[in-house]
Amino acid sequence: MKIYNTLTRRKEDFIPLEDNKVKMYVCGPTVYNLIHIGNARPMICFDTVRRYLEYKGYEVNFVSNFTDVDDKIIKKAMEEGVSAEEISTRYIEECKKDMQGMNIKPATTHPLATKEIDGMIDMIDTLIDKGYAYNVNGTVYYRTRKFEGYGKLSKKNIDDLEAGHRDEAHKLKVSGEDEKEDPLDFVLWKPKKEGEPSWHSAWSDGRPGWHIECSVMSKKYLADEIDIHAGGEDLIFPHHENEIAQSEAANGVPFAKYWMHNAFLNINNKKMSKSEGNFFTVRDISQEYDLQVLRFFMLSAHYRNPINFSRELMESAKNGLDRIITSISNLKHLLQSAKESAITKEEQQKLDETNIFRDKFEQAMDDDFNTADAISAVFELVKYANSNSSSDNTKEYIEHLLKRIITLTDILGLIVEKKEEILDSDIEALILQRQQARKEKNFARADEIRQELLSKNIVLEDTREGVRWKRI
Ligand code: AMP
Ligand code: ZN
């Protein structure tokens, strides 16, 4: 399997540090608002990477943080007159709902920056002890020039960076950062301002800089050295460059072996972003489409290519996904009339013929997760299944065909089985049956009916006026 590594700008064979195990960290969102569909791109792409690694037999320890302390969160809290914690807790919950809708597996651990402050203070202490950081009036800075490999991920030359900063003397003065030894130095810890959340430290009551959070959470929940570190391409500089400088200086080992970055989701060929105001939230999209369509749309492009969001592309994603869903539902329908007898030789041969589509799928995914080509292989399999199945087939054969399609769509995280709908009239009939069962003191049957309805997302409520029900 090959992965494109931003660090070397090449596709490399994937060899994990430990046999059969993968340690993977994905930078998560800053939680001050509903996530937009640009934020959803790394979530969907790297969830698919994880699913494919698991399919290949790796045990994946997948860590993705929530940045729950940040200027934007504090600003929003002040606007609403509530605490920063209330804002971050609210939007973490909302983000988790969107993730569930997009069928993104929960991470092995979802650490919160505010719960990891002790670890950050420890790492900053280590950096000061090793001469990589210094305290000026309660602000701790990283001494960027001291780290020899600075710029190795973003391929930036430190002297060019310095030149870019020269005009900034005035800006630094205004922001109070003119006390830095060098304009290239960045903040590890800053003193609190009035009304801001803060934690006690030897330097000042204050809060951590953004970059130190990920270095610490990755170290704590994975290891000093990990296999894959990922995020959107805007994070390459300065966020990931600074994470490398912090972690490698503090731990004395390489930070991550493979660096993966997704390209932007654009709108009218401009990056979708909150600050530009040109965004759709995942919630907006869910009003119009099943979020599986959004997932399919994202995976229709390779994760390193930019994609331009448009209605037309969403409609074509919807049609593509529907083709798979229809095929699955037809095969399920055939199961009802298919023969109980053992699979025939001819059928077995046909199943063997479908191996080619699975192989194509794997080849595409092995080539730096080319989900666009992987989807084409799924379409070929679906087409084959459609034209090689009928009510003359055995159940066993149809079941195998179904399983083959679903195995592949599961890797892409696409839910292709139709949810069973239950009609209001059927619900009412079951409620009557339940009442009858209770009259006859057949409580086991009554419970069974309640459970059956619950499995179809119907909850019953026994009130004085009778039984009420609602869909959840
Ligand atoms: P943020 O909350 O801005 O830190 O972003 C969370 C994640 O979403 C990061 O990995 C970003 O790189 C990524 N991201 C933000 N906007 C976009 C976009 N328009 N396209 C793709 N990824 C994005
Ligand atoms: Zn990060």
Side-chain angles (χ1 to χ4, degrees):
M1 184 179 1
K2 287 197 186 297
I3 295 186
Y4 180 86
N5 190 352
T6 310
L7 192 61
T8 56
R9 301 285 199 263
R10 278 191 294 119
K11 278 187 199 168
E12 291 174 25
D13 282 326
F14 179 64
I15 305 163
L17 295 158
E18 249 183 282
D19 272 354
N20 304 319
K21 292 197 173 154
V22 179
K23 297 187 260 294
M24 179 164 182
Y25 187 96
V26 181
C27 292
T30 308
V31 277
Y32 65 102
N33 216 328
L34 291 174
I35 57 164
H36 63 65
I37 57 176
N39 301 133
R41 191 169 190 198
M43 290 179 180
I44 292 173
C45 291
F46 300 120
D47 177 62
T48 307
V49 168
R50 171 197 191 171
R51 285 168 182 266
Y52 188 62
L53 290 166
E54 285 173 347
Y55 165 77
K56 284 273 188 162
Y58 293 107
E59 191 187 304
V60 184
N61 189 350
F62 188 98
V63 177
S64 190
N65 66 298
F66 287 112
T67 295
D68 62 343
V69 53
D70 175 87
D71 288 345
K72 287 174 242 150
I73 299 174
I74 295 168
K75 184 166 169 262
K76 176 100 172 176
M78 286 177 174
E79 278 165 15
E80 286 196 19
V82 297
S83 67
E85 194 182 354
E86 190 169 331
I87 296 291
S88 58
T89 309
R90 183 196 307 159
Y91 289 111
I92 288 170
E93 284 315 305
E94 297 299 340
C95 178
K96 285 186 173 168
K97 282 186 210 158
D98 288 336
M99 287 168 76
Q100 200 183 4
M102 296 184 289
N103 200 25
I104 290 162
K105 282 181 154 196
T108 318
T109 317
H110 274 295
L112 305 183
T114 53
K115 301 282 181 293
E116 309 294 340
I117 305 288
D118 287 351
M120 297 180 209
I121 291 177
D122 279 352
M123 192 179 273
I124 297 171
D125 256 335
T126 307
L127 290 169
I128 293 176
D129 286 349
K130 291 190 167 185
Y132 284 98
Y134 58 96
N135 169 16
V136 194
N137 303 326
T139 304
V140 184
Y141 294 100
Y142 187 93
R143 197 170 267 133
T144 304
R145 267 188 190 278
K146 172 141 174 109
F147 183 69
E148 266 187 25
Y150 197 81
K152 65 182 170 183
L153 182 71
S154 54
K155 312 293 172 217
K156 286 188 194 291
N157 178 305
I158 201 147
D159 293 317
D160 296 345
L161 284 171
E162 184 86 66
H165 273 278
R166 239 165 246 151
D167 307 332
E168 289 200 355
H170 174 67
K171 247 205 258 163
L172 290 177
K173 210 163 209 147
V174 173
S175 66
E177 288 194 15
D178 56 335
E179 58 198 13
K180 290 200 273 190
E181 287 175 3
D182 185 326
L184 291 182
D185 296 350
F186 60 88
V187 171
L188 298 173
W189 185 267
K190 56 184 154 197
K192 70 166 181 190
K193 291 197 199 113
E194 191 53 38
E196 289 184 355
S198 67
W199 291 264
H200 182 68
S201 81
W203 318 295
S204 59
D205 283 356
R207 61 187 165 104
W210 171 37
H211 316 301
I212 196 77
E213 298 174 8
C214 291
S215 282
V216 167
M217 293 186 264
S218 174
K219 177 183 170 82
K220 176 165 173 189
Y221 294 100
L222 295 168
D224 287 1
E225 189 173 2
I226 67 169
D227 295 293
I228 302 174
H229 195 116
E233 67 182 7
D234 55 334
L235 300 188
I236 297 174
F237 188 84
H239 186 52
H240 288 163
E241 197 68 65
N242 291 355
E243 281 188 40
I244 292 177
Q246 297 163 158
S247 293
E248 297 194 354
N251 303 328
V253 291
F255 183 29
K257 204 168 166 192
Y258 304 91
W259 286 86
M260 297 181 74
H261 294 98
N262 64 273
F264 286 148
L265 176 88
N266 295 327
I267 189 154
N268 299 325
N269 297 311
K270 265 180 84 180
K271 181 196 168 189
M272 181 174 289
S273 79
K274 279 178 197 150
S275 51
E276 293 279 339
N278 62 346
F279 64 91
F280 292 107
T281 63
V282 170
R283 209 55 65 81
D284 293 333
I285 299 300
S286 75
Q287 308 291 321
E288 247 183 280
Y289 294 97
D290 187 321
L291 289 178
Q292 292 303 298
V293 176
L294 182 65
R295 183 161 185 133
F296 190 93
F297 159 78
M298 297 278 186
L299 298 177
S300 306
H302 187 270
Y303 75 93
R304 282 190 293 111
N305 288 338
I307 18 175
N308 217 14
F309 180 81
S310 70
R311 297 274 148 199
E312 296 84 77
L313 285 179
M314 280 298 280
E315 283 302 313
S316 96
K318 184 172 184 296
N319 293 337
L321 185 62
D322 277 347
R323 252 155 79 193
I324 306 174
I325 293 173
T326 307
S327 170
I328 296 282
S329 113
N330 288 344
L331 288 171
K332 281 199 169 165
H333 186 70
L334 284 182
L335 270 186
Q336 290 167 10
S337 50
K339 293 178 192 152
E340 294 286 351
S341 52
I343 190 166
T344 67
K345 236 187 179 163
E346 202 193 348
E347 286 177 331
Q348 186 55 53
Q349 241 169 19
K350 289 202 161 156
L351 282 180
D352 292 344
E353 276 174 33
T354 68
N355 287 345
I356 186 171
F357 307 121
R358 182 202 55 206
D359 294 348
K360 273 192 184 176
F361 181 96
E362 288 187 12
Q363 269 163 25
M365 293 297 277
D366 281 343
D367 182 16
D368 190 32
F369 309 96
N370 191 335
T371 50
D373 286 358
I375 287 177
S376 305
V378 174
F379 278 146
E380 286 184 60
L381 174 59
V382 162
K383 197 170 158 205
Y384 186 92
N386 290 347
S387 46
N388 288 282
S389 56
S390 75
S391 50
D392 289 337
N393 285 119
T394 66
K395 243 187 187 160
E396 200 182 339
Y397 169 72
I398 303 284
E399 270 167 1
H400 276 295
L401 275 182
L402 268 169
K403 192 158 168 255
R404 280 172 187 234
I405 302 175
I406 290 171
T407 302
L408 301 188
T409 49
D410 267 355
I411 296 171
L412 300 174
L414 295 168
I415 300 170
V416 289
E417 292 176 83
K418 262 198 192 142
K419 288 177 206 121
E420 265 184 60
E421 291 283 348
I422 180 164
L423 299 173
D424 288 6
S425 54
D426 293 337
I427 299 171
E428 309 282 354
L430 279 166
I431 290 174
L432 282 177
Q433 278 184 34
R434 177 169 168 268
Q435 276 164 320
Q436 186 60 32
R438 288 172 115 194
K439 239 187 235 163
E440 292 162 5
K441 302 222 178 305
N442 186 353
F443 297 113
R445 173 70 190 139
D447 263 359
E448 205 176 272
I449 293 173
R450 178 190 275 281
Q451 280 309 320
E452 185 184 334
L453 285 168
L454 194 60
S455 72
K456 295 188 168 118
N457 294 337
I458 309 297
V459 252
L460 300 185
E461 199 188 336
D462 291 306
T463 69
R464 247 187 276 164
E465 292 80 39
V467 183
R468 278 204 223 129
W469 62 269
K470 64 172 185 230
R471 292 179 194 271
I472 48 165

